[in-house]
Amino acid sequence: VLTKRIIPCLDVDAGRVVKGISFVELRDAGDPAELAAVYDQEGGDELVFLDITASSDSRDTMVNVVRRVSEEVFIPLTVGGGIRTVEDIRRMLKAGADKVSLNTAAVNNPPLVSEGAAQFGNQCIVVAIDAKRVDATHSRADGPSANDPGLALDVSSRWEVYTRGGRTPTGIDAVKWAARAVELGSGEILLTSMDEDGQKRGYDLELTRAVSQATPVPVIASGAGNLDHLYDALESGEADCRTRGEYLPFW
């Protein structure tokens, strides 16, 4: 049985940690290296940094952030955002990351997951999924269509995958995509409920449970507001790992 992990997951914009609610209303929350050291001292098992700007310019900024953070802490570090090629993966790993998280790039170019896993190992590849509940009042025909019919939303779909920092609907069923990502070589799934992000109401336990049951790899669930929420994710949501970015202090 895998050990359950507590993993702070922090969003980075222009080299600074930010916090928001449902992917908007971003506020500055501090220096990445300083916060990483705090979470390390508090007993965090791993750290996740996600570059939400994800531009070509910000990739250089994130490389520097990874170098600084890796000098401050010695727990595993996952980095995501703006990673689009195998060379991008290599740069982040060389800078000090232990794993990379692929989101938009994985959806747009699924072979990237397989290529990364083949070159660096499944344990280095995490596929991040931003999922939003499907609005039952709207027809599936109203939104975008998935390029792969096997991943498309259908009448039983409950959650849709969004890309580009939660701005772009894809027409892809989140649970189907999680299963496909593992088939491609992802060693973990980093799952964020856009509906619950930053709300401090706890996890979307139905979403977490559905993805956990559909995949044989660890699922890192995001959305804790307190310790009870962490327990719920473990027991009811069947998550293997839990993030607690919502506990982030503002200094």
Side-chain angles (χ1 to χ4, degrees):
V1 177
L2 291 173
T3 301
K4 304 301 179 181
R5 294 167 286 166
I6 304 298
I7 305 176
C9 184
L10 309 178
D11 294 333
V12 177
D13 184 10
R16 299 283 295 178
V17 174
V18 295
K19 289 300 297 177
I21 299 175
S22 295
F23 287 42
V24 295
E25 300 179 20
L26 299 178
R27 296 166 289 166
D28 185 276
D31 176 76
E34 292 178 1
L35 290 170
V38 170
Y39 278 120
D40 187 13
Q41 294 167 6
E42 288 185 347
D45 296 300
E46 300 184 19
L47 284 170
V48 176
F49 281 98
L50 300 178
D51 174 13
I52 61 173
T53 307
S55 67
S56 57
D57 292 338
S58 67
R59 273 201 300 277
D60 291 333
T61 301
M62 277 303 294
V63 167
N64 291 330
V65 166
V66 171
R67 287 185 181 134
R68 290 180 54 226
V69 169
S70 63
E71 291 172 356
E72 294 286 339
V73 303
F74 301 96
I75 56 178
L77 173 63
T78 300
V79 179
I83 299 174
R84 300 180 178 92
T85 67
V86 169
E87 183 55 34
D88 289 339
I89 296 174
R90 181 177 289 107
R91 284 187 67 197
M92 288 301 179
L93 295 177
K94 287 182 66 176
D98 297 278
K99 311 173 193 176
V100 296
S101 172
L102 305 173
N103 190 329
T104 300
V107 172
N108 293 342
N109 180 25
L112 177 62
V113 179
S114 300
E115 293 167 8
Q119 291 210 27
F120 307 108
N122 301 66
Q123 77 284 352
C124 289
I125 306 300
V126 179
V127 168
I129 299 175
D130 297 330
K132 188 174 184 179
R133 282 188 177 268
V134 174
D135 187 344
T137 63
H138 288 79
S139 168
R140 300 291 189 272
D142 294 336
S145 298
N147 292 329
D148 184 340
L151 298 176
L153 294 170
D154 57 36
V155 293
S156 65
S157 297
R158 301 287 304 279
W159 302 272
E160 181 177 4
V161 173
Y162 278 63
T163 58
R164 302 188 184 282
R167 295 185 294 273
T168 305
T170 64
I172 294 174
D173 181 295
V175 178
K176 294 178 183 178
W177 171 233
R180 177 67 59 81
V182 174
E183 292 175 1
L184 290 168
S186 177
E188 292 182 349
I189 298 295
L190 173 56
L191 181 64
T192 299
S193 165
M194 293 178 59
D195 303 288
E196 299 301 331
D197 178 69
Q199 300 287 348
K200 299 185 179 181
R201 298 182 303 216
Y203 298 90
D204 184 333
L205 295 177
E206 288 185 76
L207 170 62
T208 304
R209 186 185 308 114
V211 172
S212 295
Q213 292 177 349
T215 59
V217 302
V219 174
I220 306 169
S222 179
N226 57 47
L227 292 176
D228 288 337
H229 296 155
L230 294 175
Y231 180 82
D232 289 342
L234 172 62
E235 293 298 318
S236 299
E238 301 181 21
D240 293 277
C241 321
R242 290 73 53 81
T243 61
R244 57 174 190 176
E246 285 71 18
Y247 292 157
L248 181 65
F250 288 86
W251 297 335

